[in-house]
Amino acid sequence: YDDYTKMMKLDSDNPRAYFWRSIAIKDLLKDIAENPDDHQPKPEQRAKLVALYEDRQKNDVERYLSLETDHGCRAQMLRRNRRYAEAINECNIWLDDEPESTSAYETRAECYQALRKHDKAIADCTTWVSLAPNSAPAFMLRAQVSSHASISSA
């Protein structure tokens, strides 16, 4: 975490620094939530610290998005932060630029799945399978989405 902060002071226009620090902060927040007794400070101070880290992580994401020009990278960051509709928009632009990008179809399918838009997720998985017929993850995601779709409609 500290090294990312130092790097950002030296090169404040590097989007990767904001990306990786935001991931480091998310991991730290998850660890604090899962193992509160392993962390200092005391519980009454912990809430302030968590709020500070959450705010910093949000700011890092926004700064990253303002600097990053690659739509694939932007889509991944938005998906990681559960901003699915925005990530889908980035994937659409990504696919306009790279119509055979299996990563774009994967990311967009995951977003559609999270939004419970199963038909669209299955369509993206099917396109992904047609582009990469030996991709086990493509078949797995399509199976998972199909399973959730049938449960939802029952």
Side-chain angles (χ1 to χ4, degrees), residues 32-151:
I32 290 171
E34 292 174 356
N35 306 297
D37 295 333
D38 294 348
H39 294 277
Q40 296 295 331
K42 302 288 182 213
E44 58 274 5
Q45 298 167 324
R46 192 175 300 130
K48 288 181 184 177
L49 183 64
V50 167
L52 172 71
Y53 279 137
E54 286 173 343
D55 188 52
R56 181 163 290 160
Q57 194 270 340
K58 180 183 172 191
N59 290 338
D60 282 356
V61 170
E62 292 309 316
R63 180 74 172 142
Y64 171 81
L65 292 171
S66 75
L67 294 170
E68 182 58 68
T69 59
D70 182 277
H71 295 288
C73 293
R74 290 172 57 83
Q76 298 282 344
M77 175 60 97
L78 290 163
R79 182 188 52 79
R80 285 177 189 242
N81 285 276
R82 298 180 178 172
R83 292 167 60 176
Y84 302 117
E86 292 170 88
I88 289 168
N89 289 335
E90 290 293 332
C91 286
N92 293 339
I93 298 167
W94 185 7
L95 286 165
D96 286 343
D97 294 341
E98 299 176 48
E100 295 189 2
S101 171
T102 56
S103 295
Y105 284 106
E106 175 184 14
T107 301
R108 194 169 69 176
E110 290 170 340
C111 292
Y112 282 137
Q113 178 187 28
L115 295 172
R116 292 182 168 79
K117 294 183 177 184
H118 299 113
D119 292 344
K120 290 183 177 190
I122 291 168
D124 276 354
C125 288
T126 300
T127 303
W128 179 16
V129 165
S130 72
L131 293 170
N134 296 322
S135 173
F139 285 101
M140 180 166 20
L141 183 58
R142 187 167 66 177
Q144 290 171 338
V145 173
S146 297
S147 174
H148 287 120
S150 60
I151 291 170

